[in-house]
Amino acid sequence: MKVIVIGAGVGGTSAALALQKLGHEVVVYDRMRENRPVGAALSLWSNGVKVLNWLGLGPQVAALGGRMDDMAYYDGHTGEELCRFSLAPVTEQTGQRPYPVARADLQQLMMDAVGSTHIHLGKQVVSVADDGETVTATFADGSSDTADMLIGADGARSIVRDYVTEPTGIRPERTYSGYVNYNGLVAADERIGPVDQWTTYVGDGKRCAVMPVAGDRFYFFVDVPGPSGVVEDRMAAMEQAFGSWGAPGVRALLDGIDPDESLNRVEIWDIDPFDTWVRGRVAILGDAAHNTAPDIGQGACSALEDSFALGIVFATATLGIEDSLKRYERIRTERAGDLVLRARKRAHETHAFDVEATQAWYDGLRREDGSGVIRGIVGNIEGSPVELGASVMR
């Protein structure tokens, strides 16, 4: 069959690759004019990496990934080490090493794998129509394309989602999570933290963290609670939030940031879980279906799980497109919604929206031997369709 995919991000390209793997003709459209992803990097935990392995990109993704052997928390005010431990149990328990990767590098890899002839940029979808036999996407420039099925991976402000949920009378709306994330890439620097460690400084409901990515770089991500819609100088806001902290690593990070080169400001929003992902021959995945706060690092991984589930149902079910898409919906909605709520709960705990809960978390970090954190990370990975699906596809 011919499939239209709206969106060339991680979700859209992985869905395209999964369907190409099965021999289908896939055409991808995206409103962006060049590969300029929002956010500097992302966490690929074991469940996400396994999907990329299945898509045939394992060695390339490993080459893009940073070697993250350990994890440590420090007091942002004093620099005191609160805890430090190995992340090896994550690999041992899940069967796959996780990798932080630069988002642009991963997205370019996946776009190249789909093939440039199958991707059309500068195409903003404005409407979708399904006549029961085919689906037509119409774009802002007046052009259109028709296919047997359409997948909407067009992000948190999804046009395709509006089409899919229209018959329900419920339009899922984004909710502000209460904090702003500043992120970017800097040269790896031992003064900030070991080059093979996920290093996080915490205090006052804020966090300042780095992860290693390929190319001797750190991906930094910094959370500051505050209102949305504020226009500000990004570097000045970082200095205001963290300039008074005494941890030498925080100062080294601030000094290493080139705001003209790599400093993004991202307001964090999510969407209440909902279970209508399919309408006829049209389905949504990724942020369009489960816009998730980054607090458990599962946003991209959840999109990859969507694509894996989509591939599995079209490889195994035989009752038609509408039936297969409904099976995809049943596989994914509960787990994806659970991850949204887990991330929201984690954000509430760590950003001092409940001051006592956040202080209790800080106090607990001083006693942490790694087992609790590892349990939480692995708990987010468990329940992925990848484990069951892998046995089906062998």
Side-chain angles (χ1 to χ4, degrees):
M1 63 182 174
K2 177 181 177 182
V3 183
I4 292 171
V5 175
I6 306 298
V10 172
T13 52
S14 60
L17 288 168
L19 294 168
Q20 285 180 331
K21 185 181 176 74
L22 300 173
H24 301 299
E25 176 190 355
V26 183
V27 186
V28 180
Y29 294 94
D30 197 294
R31 62 186 296 176
M32 68 177 178
R33 298 190 179 278
E34 57 183 307
N35 181 13
R36 286 189 174 179
V38 176
L42 48 84
S43 303
L44 286 179
W45 290 102
S46 308
N47 49 327
V49 177
K50 286 183 177 182
V51 177
L52 292 165
N53 293 343
W54 176 71
L55 292 173
L57 299 177
Q60 299 97 311
V61 171
L64 294 179
R67 185 170 183 87
M68 192 170 67
D69 293 334
D70 300 316
M71 182 177 184
Y73 282 93
Y74 301 88
D75 185 301
H77 289 286
T78 66
E80 174 194 1
E81 181 180 289
L82 304 178
C83 59
R84 185 172 185 271
F85 48 88
S86 171
L87 287 171
V90 175
T91 302
E92 293 163 3
Q93 293 178 40
T94 64
Q96 173 59 57
R97 171 184 280 273
Y99 302 114
V101 296
R103 186 181 288 267
D105 294 348
L106 178 65
Q107 190 163 332
Q108 191 63 58
L109 169 66
M110 298 180 73
M111 290 172 68
D112 290 345
V114 172
S116 60
T117 59
H118 304 294
I119 299 177
H120 304 279
L121 303 182
K123 304 286 282 188
Q124 180 177 354
V125 68
V126 293
S127 67
V128 175
D130 180 351
D131 65 8
E133 298 292 332
T134 61
V135 182
T136 299
T138 301
F139 302 95
D141 61 7
S143 64
S144 64
D145 195 5
T146 298
D148 300 292
M149 181 173 79
L150 184 144
I151 302 298
D154 51 336
R157 296 181 176 88
S158 171
I159 297 296
V160 181
R161 180 179 65 232
D162 292 343
Y163 169 81
V164 167
T165 59
E166 181 183 26
T168 70
I170 299 173
R171 183 170 179 170
E173 299 290 347
R174 301 166 72 232
T175 302
Y176 182 52
S177 298
Y179 71 94
V180 175
N181 178 271
Y182 300 87
N183 63 71
L185 297 168
V186 296
D189 187 338
E190 290 277 0
R191 295 177 302 168
I192 302 171
V195 297
D196 61 351
Q197 178 177 283
W198 176 4
T199 298
T200 304
Y201 297 89
V202 295
D204 311 320
K206 296 177 283 190
R207 71 171 174 173
C208 186
V210 297
M211 286 180 168
V213 298
D216 295 321
R217 296 172 295 175
F218 278 149
Y219 160 45
F220 69 86
F221 50 103
V222 170
D223 294 345
V224 181
S228 66
V230 176
V231 178
E232 59 189 5
D233 179 283
R234 297 173 185 180
M235 199 65 224
M238 291 269 285
E239 286 286 354
Q240 181 178 2
F242 299 101
S244 64
W245 280 17
V250 174
R251 183 69 262 166
L253 173 60
L254 294 177
D255 291 342
I257 295 171
D258 181 347
D260 297 323
E261 182 69 23
S262 184
L263 179 55
N264 307 299
R265 180 186 186 276
V266 182
E267 293 184 356
I268 303 303
W269 299 66
D270 69 9
I271 294 178
D272 286 340
F274 61 100
D275 57 12
T276 301
W277 290 18
V278 171
R279 179 180 176 184
R281 291 169 173 258
V282 179
I284 53 176
L285 60 72
D287 281 350
H290 46 77
N291 188 198
T292 308
D295 294 81
I296 59 173
Q298 281 289 330
C301 295
S302 194
L304 289 164
E305 287 186 3
D306 293 344
S307 296
F308 184 83
L310 191 71
I312 291 298
V313 296
F314 278 98
T316 57
T318 59
L319 300 183
I321 291 172
E322 293 92 337
D323 174 79
S324 293
L325 289 179
K326 278 296 184 183
R327 293 177 188 278
Y328 155 75
E329 181 184 67
R330 288 197 295 271
I331 290 170
R332 291 298 299 141
T333 53
E334 183 177 353
R335 171 163 166 79
D338 180 57
L339 291 176
V340 171
L341 297 180
R342 289 189 195 189
R344 184 182 292 178
K345 181 180 179 181
R346 180 68 170 160
H348 191 82
E349 177 186 40
T350 59
H351 294 99
F353 302 138
D354 181 335
V355 175
E356 291 184 359
T358 302
Q359 186 57 54
W361 177 54
Y362 292 160
D363 293 341
L365 288 176
R366 297 178 183 278
R367 302 185 298 271
E368 180 62 64
D369 62 1
S371 58
V373 175
I374 298 296
R375 185 165 54 250
I377 292 171
V378 173
N380 293 329
I381 295 169
E382 291 175 341
S384 166
V386 180
E387 298 300 330
L388 176 61
S391 64
V392 172
M393 294 300 291
R394 278 199 290 268

